Each structure stands twice: as structure tokens, then as C-alpha cells.
Amino acid sequence: MFVAVLIASPSGLPLEKSAAEALRNAWGGGDITWRAPDRAAEFPLDVIPDTHWSVWAELQHLGVDLCVVPQANRRKRLLIADMDSTMIDQECIDELADVARVGDRVREITSRAMNGELDFEAALEARVSLLEGLDAGVIDTVLRDRITEARGGRTLLATMKAHGAWTLLVSGGFTAFSAVVAQWIGFDAHQANVLEVAERRLTGKVTAPILGREAKVEALERATAAQGIGTEDVVAVGDGANDLGMLGRAGMGIALHAKPAVAEACGLRINHGDLTALLYLQGYSADAFVRSDAAAV
């Protein structure tokens, strides 16, 4: 058994009742359950229809995401999430590069690396080298003035944690950012690369080993072992090519506003919804969300 979940953008056009009913009827689904008025609805299915992706493409034009998930074991016990362009709206290294006046060069490399066109480790080393000599105090300035949390992140974590889940932020970026972001949003733990600093300036190097795609998979496996659960109990979310390993390993791997090559490789894609879409996919209704504006202690 499966569940077809329809999710509209929280700031866009509503999800029309007629659209949900038309799809349910076309696919021979069961009764519709509305998880949020005008925003999220679902219905059970016996099998995934052959028209799944053609209908998905049609709904994209209406600002609606369509995901089909197994009905069993929907609520996950561990969340593992990418940071840049997933839990926050920016790529931290691009923001540092702007301050260092090498923004255009670094953004181009970042875009290609996240789309899987470049080796992640080599691309990271190339970008960091362009930051050599930058005052390390700029990190605090960037965090204060340029970094914003992605919509729905705190609600996602607060709700899952209220139901016993453990949460881990994993980033191919830097601990100087992940430590702060993890505290802001409420993650239990974080993992990222370490920028080398000498005499209060960036050296242009990253402390070895560089944490890339495989490191995220290893982090997922360590976390499941520590929590005494299986990978089927994990929901993972990310947007870049270095996230594909953990997205494929998790029981529910979600490409969120992802790069084209990443989205194409994932069966669950959220292009219009925010991070609360991960709650709808797990079967939570909006009236059960835990709203939290408090940072983690």
C-alpha cells in the first residue's frame, strides 16, 4: 500500500479540492485526508500508477508537489539534513566569497559541484583557496547579516523531536556555520568541515579529511547504529550531488528545491513546499505541528 501526497506552496496558490479529487478518481485511490486546509492532502493507493511522473510534471505547473510514499512506517525516528540551501537559504562559502570579492568565481564552482559536474572535494579546495587571507571575523558578520533559516525548519525539528526523533545536521560546508545553525534550529548534533585559521585569518585550506558525499552516508549509518534503528527509520533531506548517497540510503530521501541532476535521481522531490512538507510526507497534520521560535539550548 502507498499514499499519494499533494502539497502546495505555503505562499502560493491553494491546493484545489477538485484537483485532489480528480487525481484520486483517476488513480482509483481511497478517501482523501486533508493534512492542511488548501495546502496538503493525501489518499491511499494499492499500486503506484504508470502515470506518476507525467502527472507530477503537470502538477508542477500548478505549484503543487506530488509524492508517493509507502503507507507503512511513515513516521521516522531520525532526521539527517544538509545545511546550505536546505536548512538555510544560502551557500555559506558563496557569502564568504562575496565579502572576499571573489563571489562570481566561487558561485560558479559551487553551482557546478552541487549539480554533480565537478568532484566535490576538489571543488571545495578550489573555492576555499580563493578565501586565503580573509579575516576570520567575517564569519560572524556573515552569520549575522547574510544567513537566513529556511522556512519551516524549526517546526520540522520541533515536531519530530516532540515525537521522539533524533536530528543531525550534516554539511559539506564548515563547522563555524553548522554549529550556529544547529543551535538556531534545534539540531541534536552537527557535522561539517573545518576551515583552517592562522593569526585570525583564513589560510585558504580545509582541515583533512574533507567531508563529502561518503562522509554523509557514514554519518547516517553511525547515527542509526547509535539510536538502535534501521535506515528505514530515517528521513534525509538535501539539494546537492554530495547528498545523493544519504538520500538513497535513507528510508525516505527527499530532494528539496534541488539541483536538476539531483532531483532527477530522487523519487521524492519537493520544489514548491517548504520544510514542513517533510512532516506531511510522514503523515503529520498541520494542527499537530509543534511551532517553535526558540533556539536549542
Side-chain angles (χ1 to χ4, degrees):
M1 292 289 291
F2 300 90
V3 180
V5 187
L6 295 158
I7 305 169
S9 166
S11 57
L13 295 174
L15 173 60
E16 298 290 346
K17 181 180 179 181
S18 58
E21 291 177 344
L23 181 59
R24 185 274 310 274
N25 294 339
W27 280 4
D31 292 341
I32 295 174
T33 298
W34 283 88
R35 294 296 180 186
D38 301 325
R39 294 297 160 190
E42 65 178 50
F43 56 83
L45 290 168
D46 290 331
V47 297
I48 301 177
D50 293 338
T51 56
H52 174 201
W53 288 112
S54 61
V55 172
W56 174 87
E58 292 174 7
L59 290 172
Q60 287 292 293
H61 295 300
L62 301 177
V64 174
D65 292 311
L66 168 64
C67 295
V68 180
V69 299
Q71 190 174 60
N73 194 32
R74 286 178 72 184
R75 292 199 176 181
K76 304 305 182 183
R77 298 170 60 190
L78 189 150
L79 167 68
I80 182 167
D82 173 49
M83 180 176 69
D84 296 83
S85 298
T86 300
M87 297 307 302
I88 60 175
D89 296 318
Q90 297 79 22
E91 295 283 336
C92 292
I93 193 168
D94 292 356
E95 301 304 319
L96 289 175
D98 268 348
V99 177
R101 298 183 180 180
V102 290
D104 288 344
R105 294 168 65 187
V106 168
R107 270 192 296 273
E108 180 184 2
I109 299 172
T110 298
S111 178
R112 294 182 64 196
M114 292 302 98
N115 201 42
E117 300 172 29
L118 300 174
D119 175 74
F120 177 80
E121 287 79 3
L124 183 65
E125 289 179 324
R127 288 176 288 166
V128 172
S129 70
L130 296 173
L131 303 179
E132 182 179 359
L134 189 65
D135 189 324
V138 167
I139 293 172
D140 292 335
T141 302
V142 168
L143 276 163
R144 184 186 67 237
D145 298 339
R146 291 173 172 254
I147 303 303
T148 55
E149 298 175 29
R151 182 170 179 169
R154 294 195 189 198
T155 298
L156 168 64
L157 264 74
T159 303
M160 289 191 66
K161 291 174 71 171
H163 288 82
W166 195 77
T167 58
L168 174 63
L169 183 67
V170 290
S171 176
F174 312 114
T175 54
F177 291 94
S178 66
V180 176
V181 171
Q183 184 180 40
W184 283 351
I185 302 175
F187 281 92
D188 293 303
H190 69 97
Q191 170 183 308
N193 290 297
V194 179
L195 279 173
E196 283 191 1
V197 178
E199 298 181 354
R200 292 291 301 166
R201 293 193 176 275
L202 303 188
T203 67
K205 297 179 181 179
V206 181
T207 300
I210 292 176
L211 305 179
R213 174 172 172 158
E214 290 308 312
K216 293 192 176 189
V217 176
E218 292 166 3
L220 184 155
E221 293 175 343
R222 284 195 304 272
T224 55
Q227 296 299 311
I229 60 176
T231 55
E232 68 275 8
D233 296 312
V234 178
V235 55
V237 61
D239 76 303
N242 62 323
D243 297 316
L244 281 172
M246 72 173 187
L247 296 180
R249 192 85 174 94
M252 186 180 285
I254 300 160
L256 180 80
H257 304 166
K259 309 302 182 288
V262 178
E264 290 175 8
C266 292
L268 298 176
R269 309 168 189 173
I270 297 296
N271 291 331
H272 302 287
D274 63 14
L275 284 161
T276 60
L278 276 65
L279 294 173
Y280 296 131
L281 294 183
Q282 293 179 73
Y284 289 94
S285 295
D287 58 9
F289 288 0
V290 179
R291 309 287 179 178
S292 174
D293 293 324
V297 176

